[in-house]
Amino acid sequence: MLIIGSMIGSGIFIVPAAMSRDLGSPFMLLLAWFVTALLTLFAALSYGELAAMMPKAGGQYVYLREAYNPLFGFLYGWTLFTVIQTGTIAAVAVAFAKFSGVFFSFISPENVVFQIGSFTVQTQQILAIAIVWLLTFSNFRNVKSGAFLQNIFTFTKIGAIVFMIGAGLYFALTHDTIAQDYSIPSQTSSYSYWGIFCVALVGSIFSSDAWNNVTFTGSEIEKPERNLPLSLVMGTTIVLGIYMFINWVYLQVLSFDAIQHAENDRVGTVMLQTVFGDVGMYLMAALIMISTFGCINGLTLSGSRVYYAMAKDKLFFAKAGTLNQNDSPQFALIIQAIWTSILTLSGSYGDLLDYVVFAVLIFYVLTVAGIFVLRHKQPNAPRPYKVFAYPYLPAIYILLASFICINLLLYKPDYTYPGLGIVLLGIPVYYLIKKKF
């Protein structure tokens, strides 16, 4: 439930529009989601070995620290805190507030309540910040309480998505199915097209991210050597199956041109409006509010565990390494909420998310490569679960993900180089912290 709830936010209802414009073909749109699903599943299977081997708070931070050295772990934690986790929470919280405006008109970016010069605070931002703090306070309780809330919203979210898929299928069966051209476009013979294909994957990869968040809570999970690998495989498989199915339903209900030119890229809204008329807009808004609420809770719960692990290594605020009476990293949650609130007010988090997709892939590649490193460094360490088809499966992931990274450097330098810069900025910060201690 933590994986499903963290992965499914609002992206699946929006990113297919931009992806379809880049790819120019229904077949290539489905192929892009299939490639993303394959990559994510390969990574999840690989992480299973590391999760079972080191079921500790911090997850990926710990794997990188143990496979390489503390600097690599810090750079991941640094990027997670500065952009990845907090920026994603901020963006998803704003999405929640944005769709709340469908029901409550006073929640709007135009409804400014405070202004100093060019800096403004509007009702949409206020609601987003309020949701962040509400779920932060909620997670002051123990992990089982947070998981209970996560389960409720994830079950509701899955039910709403199943309803959406069912409505689309019913419409397609009772109306003339859109005749899509599923032929392979001729331009696929050129290398430049595959560069564009890799750029388009940014949308589907971002929508499929956060599957690794369950590893952050490794020390709080019962029988982690069994349940962590199992949850990684089950959670990602369920979400990726849903994503593939939703895109296929979009193509059954809507013309490819309608997907490409959906207003504000809201493909999901256009589909439900096609099926239900104007009431579809309200149904979609409610679905996304449920989806984003559960997503924020999952990201809030899991991210704080990384800062807790970093604090234990004296690489973060010392107080973040303490637990409250409910064994929850309360101070880490507070620090996370403060920085998330600042990003929400800054208005720059959307750009930062684009910048960091490249960095996220770099850390995934390094972590999967860590399996090879640890098999060499610690050959006798207990491994309750070993990655399937080793060494081929992790090697294939490393090659495919690296190919995507290279193409992002070539075709999207405005985002990839700043993303890399954010990561590298952590190096002097690391040595300043080490010098202090």
Side-chain angles (χ1 to χ4, degrees):
M1 292 299 104
L2 182 58
I3 290 172
I4 295 170
S6 298
M7 285 179 73
I8 303 176
S10 56
I12 185 60
F13 312 115
I14 298 169
V15 299
M19 290 176 68
S20 62
R21 289 195 294 271
D22 288 338
L23 297 169
S25 159
F27 175 81
M28 297 307 291
L29 176 64
L30 292 178
L31 180 63
W33 283 96
F34 177 75
V35 169
T36 300
L38 206 62
L39 276 171
T40 306
L41 186 58
F42 281 9
L45 287 165
S46 300
Y47 271 53
E49 175 171 323
L50 299 170
M53 183 182 172
M54 295 173 281
K56 301 174 183 177
Q60 190 169 345
Y61 162 77
V62 176
Y63 313 154
L64 288 164
R65 183 192 68 195
E66 295 300 313
Y68 303 101
N69 56 53
L71 173 60
F72 280 78
F74 174 80
L75 290 177
Y76 174 71
W78 158 264
T79 311
L80 192 82
F81 178 74
T82 54
V83 178
I84 299 173
Q85 200 81 357
T86 50
T88 303
I89 294 171
V92 176
V94 168
F96 174 91
K98 185 176 183 179
F99 283 90
S100 299
V102 173
F103 298 98
F104 309 101
S105 58
F106 67 90
I107 301 171
S108 166
E110 283 74 43
N111 193 356
V112 177
V113 295
F114 180 78
Q115 182 170 1
I116 298 179
S118 60
F119 176 75
T120 62
V121 178
Q122 26 86 356
T123 52
Q124 187 171 279
Q125 291 171 317
I126 291 172
L127 178 59
I129 292 171
I131 290 298
V132 167
W133 282 98
L134 171 68
L135 290 173
T136 296
F137 291 138
S138 173
N139 278 284
F140 284 178
R141 298 172 296 172
N142 61 37
V143 72
K144 287 192 175 181
S145 299
F148 177 73
L149 181 66
Q150 188 66 31
N151 289 348
I152 291 174
F153 274 91
T154 302
F155 275 120
T156 306
K157 179 191 303 190
I158 292 172
I161 290 174
V162 169
F163 168 77
M164 176 184 175
I165 290 172
L169 285 175
Y170 177 78
F171 183 87
L173 290 170
T174 55
H175 295 74
D176 291 335
T177 304
I178 300 295
Q180 304 285 7
D181 180 8
Y182 287 101
S183 61
I184 300 174
S186 59
Q187 58 265 40
T188 55
S189 58
S190 67
Y191 179 83
S192 61
Y193 182 83
W194 292 105
I196 295 169
F197 183 86
C198 290
V199 169
L201 288 178
V202 168
S204 53
I205 289 172
F206 176 71
S207 299
S208 304
D209 199 20
W211 54 267
N212 61 322
N213 279 12
V214 72
T215 67
F216 301 163
T217 63
S219 63
E220 299 165 271
I221 293 176
E222 295 178 3
K223 298 180 181 177
E225 67 283 350
R226 171 187 179 274
N227 290 331
L228 273 173
L230 193 61
S231 63
L232 280 164
V233 174
M234 289 179 64
T236 52
T237 301
I238 290 170
V239 173
L240 297 168
I242 288 172
Y243 281 2
M244 287 293 297
F245 205 27
I246 286 181
N247 277 277
W248 182 77
V249 170
Y250 287 157
L251 291 167
Q252 300 304 302
V253 176
L254 303 172
S255 68
F256 194 65
D257 182 72
I259 294 172
Q260 289 177 306
H261 301 101
E263 185 179 358
N264 295 318
D265 287 352
R266 298 175 186 168
V267 180
T269 301
V270 173
M271 194 199 84
L272 285 187
Q273 283 181 312
T274 302
V275 176
F276 294 107
D278 290 340
V279 74
M281 177 178 67
Y282 296 100
L283 288 171
M284 192 70 235
L287 192 160
I288 290 181
M289 287 175 69
I290 292 168
S291 180
T292 50
F293 194 87
C295 183
I296 296 164
N297 184 67
L299 293 169
T300 300
L301 184 153
S302 53
S304 58
R305 272 63 183 177
V306 178
Y307 319 134
Y308 169 80
M310 292 175 69
K312 286 294 186 182
D313 291 339
K314 296 183 179 181
L315 294 174
F316 201 69
F317 299 104
K319 198 172 179 181
T322 60
L323 302 174
N324 65 12
Q325 66 272 22
N326 298 318
D327 292 326
S328 173
Q330 181 171 318
F331 187 79
L333 283 161
I334 291 172
I335 291 294
Q336 177 178 254
I338 290 172
W339 185 244
T340 300
S341 300
I342 292 170
L343 291 179
T344 303
L345 291 173
S346 72
S348 62
Y349 52 83
D351 291 337
L352 290 172
L353 284 175
D354 282 335
Y355 294 153
V356 89
V357 167
F358 172 77
V360 169
L361 281 174
I362 289 292
F363 283 118
Y364 282 156
V365 168
L366 285 171
T367 306
V368 173
I371 294 172
F372 295 92
V373 176
L374 287 167
R375 290 268 185 124
H376 176 72
K377 286 175 63 175
Q378 303 177 23
N380 299 319
R383 290 176 170 82
Y385 163 82
K386 292 186 177 181
V387 60
F388 172 76
Y390 177 88
Y392 306 107
L393 187 144
I396 291 170
Y397 176 83
I398 291 169
L399 289 172
L400 289 175
S402 298
F403 177 76
I404 293 170
C405 287
I406 291 168
N407 278 281
L408 287 176
L409 281 169
L410 294 173
Y411 291 94
K412 214 171 185 181
D414 292 345
Y415 295 107
T416 50
Y417 285 104
L420 186 60
I422 292 170
V423 178
L424 296 178
L425 184 61
I427 295 176
V429 174
Y430 171 78
Y431 285 107
L432 283 172
I433 293 173
K434 294 294 288 184
K435 186 177 180 180
K436 181 180 178 181
F437 289 100

